[in-house]
């Protein structure tokens, strides 16, 4: 069940954890970033990327602080439970039982800093994997918990819609060779319409929907069962990701070095900021997976510094990928999925590389789709679950999987505009998960820690942004972004 406490799992070194976090953050969003950069202008894009990277790092430290506070709460409850059991075993009279209960009740109302001082010095050590749903249950009210699940469910729906559109889009671009996608006398920058012919009477949009149907039939059934990502599958997809990114950066640098760069991006174009904001937020998303990522790290002494290093490396990588793209290709020819810019002979003469880059999203995204679908299904179950009750078989095995699978497939059927899908998902649900929820977790976990452990207690994993000002700043920024994106969408629709 989503949001529960699970075992830590096999431990790994801080540097392995750094690599895992890098791989988690640098995903599908990175492939849509070059077009967003070209649309918004290189200077505006760089400034916004740096600022959103800083904001994401801040909220990541908020989540880690809340994880440490949650671990301290769990550890204290276990200590109290053992103490109560020992007292019960040693008691021989009902008067003693009453006295113990009175002492226990008093201890629940008084700060327990003295207990921490005489007990374990590592009460804030992150050793139990406490997922965000469990932290929400510990620190939020019932309304807050429901809002948390609503936010993460919307985000996962957006994630699935992006995945469901990206795979058929890549297959359509690669296989519709009859129109010249892979013909060496046609440039890769040639733009096609959905109504153009693909094979015979089949249009490109028809081919896209055929692939979407096949994708649904092949991967949709996994939503009805439990699946797990294997270690070897992780290694394979990570290896493919890095080979693909390295090839694209090197090829773009070679073209620019040979004077074949076609890109002349503007310095600033504020009409493209809406999508750029959503893409950048989506591309820095890791907060919801931090418990699974950080908890197994063997030594967390310098975890905040290592995470900062990770963000610096990710910023450098995003900048390198996007800048080589926007100066290599004309802004009008940049595809929603950047890999598709390398499917023409004018860019890559080697057919193996063309097909590898063109089909790269198919392999990596297809392995993630069932995992995300099962996660979403379990979050639905958690949201409606009542203590001590069981779902009927039909509801558990049929209704929840169907409401998980159908909406994102319908969205993908209606549109394959990945830039907009990523932008909207990041700007709304991503805004909540990356900014609002971590800020409230930090605020309420600090408040709860002060109440339970006393005002003199110091959380060893407390965020460097300790002032309440930073929590308020994040919330004001999130609200401002919500208003800006909404107003931008309304104004754009009004113009149309």
């Amino acid at each position: 069940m989503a949001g529960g406490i699970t075992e830590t799992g096999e431990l790994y070194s801080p540097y392995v954890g750094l690599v895992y976090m890098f791989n988690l953050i640098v995903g599908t969003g990175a492939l849509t970033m070059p077009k967003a950069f070209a649309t918004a202008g290189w200077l505006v894009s760089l400034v916004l990327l740096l600022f959103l990277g800083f904001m994401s790092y801040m909220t990541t430290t908020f989540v880690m602080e809340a994880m440490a506070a949650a671990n301290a709460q769990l550890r204290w409850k276990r200590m109290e439970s053992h103490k109560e059991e020992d007292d019960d075993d040693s008691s021989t009279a009902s008067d003693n039982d009453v006295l113990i209960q009175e002492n226990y009740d008093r201890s629940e109302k008084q700060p327990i800093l003295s207990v921490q001082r005489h007990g374990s010095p590592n009460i804030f050590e992150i050793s139990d994997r406490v997922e965000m749903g469990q932290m929400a249950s510990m620190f939020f009210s019932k309304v807050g918990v429901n809002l948390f699940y609503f936010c993460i469910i919307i985000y996962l729906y957006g994630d699935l819609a992006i995945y469901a559109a990206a795979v058929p889009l890549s297959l359509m671009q690669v296989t519709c060779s009859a129109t010249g996608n892979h013909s060496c006398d046609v440039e890769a920058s040639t733009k096609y319409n959905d109504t153009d012919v693909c094979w015979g009477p089949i249009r490109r949009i028809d081919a896209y929907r055929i692939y979407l149907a096949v994708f649904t039939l092949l991967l949709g059934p996994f939503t009805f069962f439990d699946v797990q990502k294997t270690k070897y599958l992780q290694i394979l997809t990570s290896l493919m990701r890095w080979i693909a990114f390295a090839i694209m950066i090197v090829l773009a640098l070679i073209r620019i070095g040979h004077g074949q760069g076609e890109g002349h991006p503007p310095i600033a174009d504020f009409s493209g900021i809406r999508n750029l904001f959503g893409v950048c937020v989506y591309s820095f998303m890791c907060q919801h997976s931090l418990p699974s990522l950080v908890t197994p790290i063997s030594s967390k002494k310098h975890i905040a510094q290592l995470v900062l290093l990770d963000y610096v490396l990710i910023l450098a990588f995003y900048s390198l990928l996007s800048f080589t793209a926007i100066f290599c290709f004309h802004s009008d020819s940049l595809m929603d999925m950047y890999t598709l810019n390398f499917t023409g002979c004018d860019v890559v003469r080697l057919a193996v590389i063309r097909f590898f880059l063109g089909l790269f999203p198919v392999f990596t995204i297809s392995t993630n789709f069932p995992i995300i679908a099962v996660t979403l299904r379990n979050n639905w179950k958690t949201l409606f679950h009542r203590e001590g009750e069981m779902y009927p078989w039909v509801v558990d095995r049929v209704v929840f999987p169907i409401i998980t699978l159908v909406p994102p497939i319908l969205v993908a059927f209606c549109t394959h505009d990945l830039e907009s899908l990523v932008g909207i998902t990041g700007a709304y649900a991503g805004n909540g998960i990356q900014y609002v929820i971590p800020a409230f977790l930090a605020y309420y976990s600090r408040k709860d820690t002060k109440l339970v452990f006393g005002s003199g207690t110091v959380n060893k994993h407390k965020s460097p942004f300790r002032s309440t000002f930073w929590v308020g700043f994040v919330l004001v920024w999130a609200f401002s972004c919500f208003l800006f994106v909404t107003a931008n969408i309304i104004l754009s629709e009004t113009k149309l």
Side-chain angles (χ1 to χ4, degrees):
M1 193 70 72
I5 302 172
T6 60
E7 293 182 359
T8 303
E10 185 179 350
L11 298 180
Y12 44 73
S13 73
Y15 296 102
V16 172
L18 183 142
V19 172
Y20 282 173
M21 181 174 285
F22 196 106
N23 286 338
L24 172 70
I25 296 176
V26 180
T28 314
L31 297 178
T32 61
M33 192 173 285
K35 185 175 180 181
F37 256 64
T39 306
W42 65 267
L43 182 58
V44 169
S45 299
L46 181 61
V47 171
L48 189 61
L49 180 69
L50 292 172
F51 181 72
L52 292 181
F54 165 74
M55 295 294 290
S56 180
Y57 170 70
M58 187 193 307
T59 56
T60 294
T61 63
F62 284 169
V63 174
M64 290 193 297
E65 178 182 342
M67 287 165 55
N71 270 263
Q73 294 270 10
L74 293 173
R75 196 165 285 112
W76 167 247
K77 287 178 181 178
R78 284 197 291 266
M79 289 164 58
E80 281 291 289
S81 177
H82 291 319
K83 180 181 177 183
E84 187 177 3
E85 289 174 4
D86 292 341
D87 289 346
D88 285 342
D89 291 340
S90 62
S91 64
T92 56
S94 59
D95 290 341
N96 289 343
D97 292 338
V98 173
L99 182 61
I100 290 168
Q101 184 62 42
E102 288 177 354
N103 289 337
Y104 179 75
D105 291 340
R106 267 200 311 274
S107 70
E108 288 294 300
K109 298 175 184 177
Q110 295 177 350
I112 54 173
L113 178 60
S114 58
V115 176
Q116 187 207 349
R117 284 172 178 165
H118 293 92
S120 170
N122 298 318
I123 195 166
F124 287 99
E125 189 62 52
I126 302 174
S127 56
D128 286 327
R129 190 173 70 183
V130 189
E131 300 292 351
M132 284 189 78
Q134 183 69 19
M135 286 190 281
S137 300
M138 294 173 72
F139 301 124
F140 294 166
S141 65
K142 183 64 176 177
V143 174
V145 173
N146 288 335
L147 288 174
F148 162 80
Y149 278 109
F150 174 78
C151 186
I152 200 165
I153 283 170
I154 296 299
Y155 173 77
L156 292 173
Y157 268 132
D159 232 6
L160 289 177
I162 292 164
Y163 286 4
V167 171
L169 179 65
S170 296
L171 288 170
M172 177 193 73
Q173 294 282 7
V174 170
T175 58
C176 287
S177 55
T179 58
N181 275 29
H182 292 285
S183 176
C184 285
D185 58 354
V186 178
E187 292 187 355
S189 59
T190 303
K191 300 290 278 187
Y192 298 99
N193 296 318
D194 285 345
T195 53
D196 289 343
V197 174
C198 183
W199 333 290
I202 304 295
R203 300 172 302 166
R204 290 171 64 84
I205 188 63
D206 298 327
Y208 167 80
R209 287 172 178 166
I210 290 170
Y211 283 128
L212 177 61
V214 173
F215 175 85
T216 305
L217 290 173
L218 290 177
L219 295 180
F222 286 103
T223 312
F224 294 81
F225 307 100
D226 288 322
V227 294
Q228 286 192 331
K229 189 186 295 185
T230 66
K231 175 182 178 181
Y232 299 106
L233 192 59
Q234 275 191 354
I235 293 172
L236 178 62
T237 53
S238 295
L239 184 63
M240 289 180 64
R241 178 189 297 127
W242 287 111
I243 291 174
F245 281 133
I247 290 173
M248 289 187 291
I249 291 172
V250 169
L251 287 175
L253 286 172
I254 290 173
R255 281 176 62 84
I256 294 171
H258 288 168
Q260 298 174 323
E262 303 168 354
H264 302 285
I267 294 177
D269 185 348
F270 293 99
S271 63
I273 290 182
R274 182 190 78 199
N275 273 341
L276 175 66
F277 168 76
V279 168
C280 289
V281 169
Y282 186 81
S283 299
F284 281 113
M285 189 66 66
C286 70
Q287 285 74 8
H288 59 305
S289 298
L290 283 174
S292 301
L293 209 63
V294 173
T295 307
I297 294 177
S298 56
S299 174
K300 304 178 183 71
K301 186 177 181 181
H302 303 292
I303 186 68
Q305 293 89 331
L306 286 174
V307 171
L308 177 60
L309 175 61
D310 229 344
Y311 270 89
V312 171
L313 293 174
I314 290 164
L315 281 169
F317 174 80
Y318 280 164
S319 300
L320 180 61
L321 180 72
S322 299
F323 272 88
T324 54
I326 62 177
F327 285 100
C328 179
F329 298 100
H330 194 276
S331 57
D332 292 335
S333 66
L334 275 169
M335 302 287 217
D336 286 348
M337 188 72 67
Y338 182 48
T339 50
L340 299 177
N341 279 95
F342 296 88
T343 56
C345 286
D346 62 316
V347 180
V348 185
R349 302 300 299 183
L350 227 68
V352 175
I353 295 180
R354 291 202 307 272
F355 278 97
F356 171 74
L357 291 178
L359 295 174
F360 159 71
V362 176
F363 300 125
T364 56
I365 291 174
S366 295
T367 58
N368 285 336
F369 185 88
I371 310 298
I372 302 297
V374 170
T375 302
L376 175 56
R377 184 199 69 191
N378 289 342
N379 274 282
W380 271 120
K381 290 182 180 181
T382 304
L383 181 61
F384 291 107
H385 184 256
R386 296 294 176 265
E387 194 67 35
E389 295 181 6
M390 298 265 308
Y391 290 117
W393 185 89
V394 174
V395 175
D396 185 53
R397 292 295 181 180
V398 179
V399 175
F400 281 121
I402 286 176
I403 65 173
T404 296
L405 187 61
V406 171
I409 297 300
L410 287 177
V411 170
F413 182 84
C414 296
T415 180
H416 55 70
D417 185 354
L418 288 179
E419 187 183 12
S420 295
L421 286 175
V422 171
I424 291 171
T425 301
Y428 286 105
N431 194 2
I433 292 173
Q434 191 166 152
Y435 300 139
V436 179
I437 292 172
F440 278 118
L441 280 176
Y443 177 78
Y444 283 109
S445 67
R446 290 172 186 176
K447 190 176 180 181
D448 207 57
T449 298
K450 185 177 179 180
L451 178 67
V452 176
F453 296 99
S455 58
T457 310
V458 177
N459 185 337
K460 62 183 290 186
H461 292 293
K462 191 164 187 177
S463 168
F465 308 94
R466 304 183 176 199
S467 171
T468 308
F469 163 80
W470 291 109
V471 174
F473 179 75
V474 171
L475 292 175
V476 169
W477 166 251
F479 183 68
S480 303
C481 291
F482 176 83
L483 291 180
F484 169 77
V485 171
T486 305
N488 197 283
I489 290 174
I490 293 171
L491 291 173
S492 299
E493 292 297 324
T494 304
K495 288 179 182 179
L496 292 175

